[in-house]
Amino acid sequence: MSDNRAIGVFDSGLGGLCAVRAIHSLMPDEGVVYFGDTGRLPYGTRSNEKIVSFANGDIRFLMSRDVKIILAACGTVSSVALDRLSPCGVRVFGVVKPAVAAAVSSTATGRVGIIGTDATVMSRAFDIELAKYGIEAVSAACPLLVSLIENGFCATHPDIVTTVLRAYLSRFDDSGIDTLILGCTHFPIAEHLIRGIMPGMTLIDTTYEAVKQLKGVLTDNNMCGNAGKTEYFVSDSAIGFENKAAVFSAGEPIKAVQINIEDY
């Protein structure tokens, strides 16, 4: 048996494109419907109630496209909203638990760092999940990184991003961590800069770990497909999204369609 319906992926903007890239790598035959809520970003500075409301609307849109499974490729949604979403008829995955599982397997010191948006860090979602395994968490909010990454600064002004990163990552000086969870889906774009500051640190890419788990679920439930088509939708200017998307898509051209998310 197989299921040729697409995989639904959503994020507040562009970061979830890292998950699409991982799906293309690990499941190249699968179709994908991506929604970036560019008209209401950032989610990371919103109230929990607003994040839940936005996420439910995002999911309703994806369900209108007849997706078979959904990945909330957003650290903020995964941290504060996943357990509060309305039932939608398909399984919805987040990025917290897969990343934690990978971090638990990686750490030798029993201390793991997390970087994320303000909302992700304040939720303590990673901390709480890590504590279930007896792992101590050390967290740092990195609110400027999302904007720097989306505007291509990792490539055009790496010195500026490195300076900002050094300030944020100083939180982990003498912390004893040996593993760092990149708790925002944007952050893998800055992975090479983080490695330059924290050599020898194991970095956990939340999107990649989530897609690995999603692939296992599809395989175990005979839901793999071969639709092979990827569609992109946004809630604000498609042109603006397309111009920035190359940062996340490894240069692959992306064409998006603007929709009115308020209809959902």
Side-chain angles (χ1 to χ4, degrees):
M1 293 180 62
S2 63
D3 189 336
N4 285 331
R5 291 178 297 167
I7 297 168
V9 180
F10 76 93
D11 183 35
S12 60
L14 290 145
L17 292 175
C18 290
V20 175
R21 187 169 63 184
I23 292 171
H24 288 168
S25 174
L26 296 175
M27 297 179 282
D29 294 330
E30 292 287 349
V32 180
V33 176
Y34 180 82
F35 174 66
D37 195 5
T38 52
R40 302 187 296 196
L41 62 79
Y43 282 10
T45 57
R46 303 280 191 167
S47 68
N48 289 1
E49 290 70 23
K50 188 65 73 174
I51 294 166
V52 172
S53 175
F54 287 174
N56 278 322
D58 300 345
I59 289 171
R60 285 192 292 270
F61 166 71
L62 290 175
M63 291 303 299
S64 78
R65 306 296 299 182
D66 193 31
V67 298
K68 61 185 174 184
I69 200 166
I70 293 174
L71 174 60
C74 175
T76 299
V77 170
S78 299
S79 297
V80 307
L82 207 61
D83 294 334
R84 299 171 57 187
L85 298 175
S86 302
C88 66
V90 303
R91 294 182 68 172
V92 180
F93 289 80
V95 299
V96 173
K97 290 184 178 181
V100 165
V104 170
S105 297
S106 166
T107 183
T109 65
R111 294 174 65 84
V112 170
I114 304 104
I115 54 174
T117 64
D118 288 331
T120 293
V121 170
M122 289 176 62
S123 76
R124 301 189 69 250
F126 284 99
D127 310 49
I128 292 167
E129 194 66 24
L130 285 163
K132 295 177 183 178
Y133 299 91
I135 305 298
E136 187 173 350
V138 184
S139 302
C142 305
L144 293 178
L145 270 188
V146 168
S147 180
L148 290 171
I149 290 169
E150 287 196 350
N151 285 283
F153 273 48
C154 289
T156 61
H157 298 85
D159 52 334
I160 294 176
V161 182
T162 297
T163 297
V164 172
L165 277 169
R166 287 190 186 279
Y168 289 143
L169 297 177
S170 65
R171 169 77 174 89
F172 303 109
D173 292 348
D174 303 318
S175 66
I177 69 167
D178 61 354
T179 300
L180 180 68
I181 295 174
L182 308 183
C184 172
T185 52
H186 286 69
F187 293 177
I189 303 301
E191 182 174 335
H192 63 295
L193 299 178
I194 296 171
R195 289 193 185 281
I197 299 169
M198 307 177 83
M201 185 71 59
T202 298
L203 304 183
I204 304 297
D205 180 341
T206 55
T207 55
Y208 188 79
E209 296 302 328
V211 170
K212 283 201 302 184
Q213 184 185 78
L214 190 148
K215 179 181 179 180
V217 169
L218 292 180
T219 301
D220 291 346
N221 290 276
N222 297 314
M223 294 175 65
C224 295
N226 58 6
K229 178 182 179 182
T230 300
E231 298 178 292
Y232 300 93
F233 297 89
V234 293
S235 55
D236 201 356
S237 167
I239 294 175
F241 177 83
E242 291 164 359
N243 288 341
K244 292 183 178 181
V247 172
F248 299 85
S249 64
E252 176 187 345
I254 285 177
K255 291 295 182 182
V257 175
Q258 183 176 352
I259 59 113
N260 184 4
I261 191 60
E262 300 297 339
D263 291 341
Y264 301 88

